[in-house]
Amino acid sequence: MPESDMPARPAHLWPRAKTYVRQAPGTYIWLAALFVTTVALHHMTPAFETTFLRRRSTNLHELSQNPVRVLVASAFWIDGSSWWPYAALYTLFHAPAEHRLGTPRWLAVVAASHILATLISEGALLWAIHHGHAPTSAVNTLDVGVSYALAGVAAVLTYLIPSPWRYAYLAAVLTVYGLPLLTGTGRTFTDLGHATAVLIGLCCRPLTRATAPVPLTPCRKPPPPQ
C-alpha cells in the first residue's frame, strides 16, 4: 500500500463510529446518563454517597416504600465503580443487541432483566431473612447498578450469533454468571440476580425471531479487478 494512503485510515473510522452510535441511541443515551451520575458520585463525601445511593437502591426497605421509583432510579447509578469499563461493556453487548433487535425490543429485554431479576433476588433475600439465614439489617443492603440488565442482554445475544459459535458464546455466558452461584462459598443475592437475568434473557428468544444472526465477516472482500 502506498504511504500516501496510510493517514487516510483513521479518517474512515470516525464516520463508522458515529454510525455505530447513532444506530444504538438507547445504549449511548443511557451510557451518557451513567457518566453524569458517576461524576456526581465522585464529588460526594463517602458518608453522603452511601445515604444517597441507599435512597435509590432496590433494597427491601425502598422496594416496599417506592418500588417504581427505585426500580427506575437504580438503573442510573454505578456503586463506586469506574465508568470506562461500562462504556466498553455497553459497546460490546448492549449496542449490538440494540442494532439487531431495534430500540423497543432491546429495551424490553433490558427492562425485563433488570426488574424481574431484582424482584426475584430480593424475594430470595426476604425469604432468607424470615428463616434466619440473613440478618434483619439486610433489608437496607445497597443494590444499585446495571449488571442485571447487562446479563440479560448478553444472554439474548446468543440467538443473534450463528452456529456453531453461539454454543461457545452461550457456554461462556453461563460460566461467567452461573459459576459464582453454583460454586462460590460466599454466594450473595446478587449472584442469584445475575443468573436469573441470564435465564430471563434466554427466555426473550421470541423477540429475536424477526432478526437475522449477526454476520461474523467484519468487512467485505474487494471486487475483483476488471
Side-chain angles (χ1 to χ4, degrees), residues 11-31:
H12 292 302
L13 297 178
W14 179 241
R16 293 181 182 180
K18 289 194 296 184
T19 300
Y20 190 85
V21 170
R22 282 199 303 266
Q23 291 176 347
T27 294
Y28 289 101
I29 290 172
W30 190 8
L31 195 56

Side-chain angles (χ1 to χ4, degrees), residues 102-152:
T103 300
R105 285 184 290 171
W106 163 80
L107 189 57
V109 177
V110 166
S113 302
H114 174 66
I115 295 171
L116 295 179
T118 296
L119 296 178
I120 290 171
S121 60
E122 291 293 337
L125 179 60
L126 181 61
W127 180 91
I129 293 172
H130 284 173
H131 289 81
H133 301 299
T136 305
S137 60
V139 298
N140 291 312
T141 301
L142 193 64
D143 185 21
V144 295
V146 298
S147 59
Y148 293 166
L150 181 62

Side-chain angles (χ1 to χ4, degrees), residues 41-61:
L41 283 180
H42 289 166
H43 287 81
M44 297 179 187
T45 63
F48 181 75
E49 178 183 332
T50 300
T51 303
F52 182 87
L53 287 178
R54 186 168 286 119
R55 292 290 307 277
R56 289 149 182 83
S57 168
T58 50
N59 57 59
L60 289 169
H61 174 73

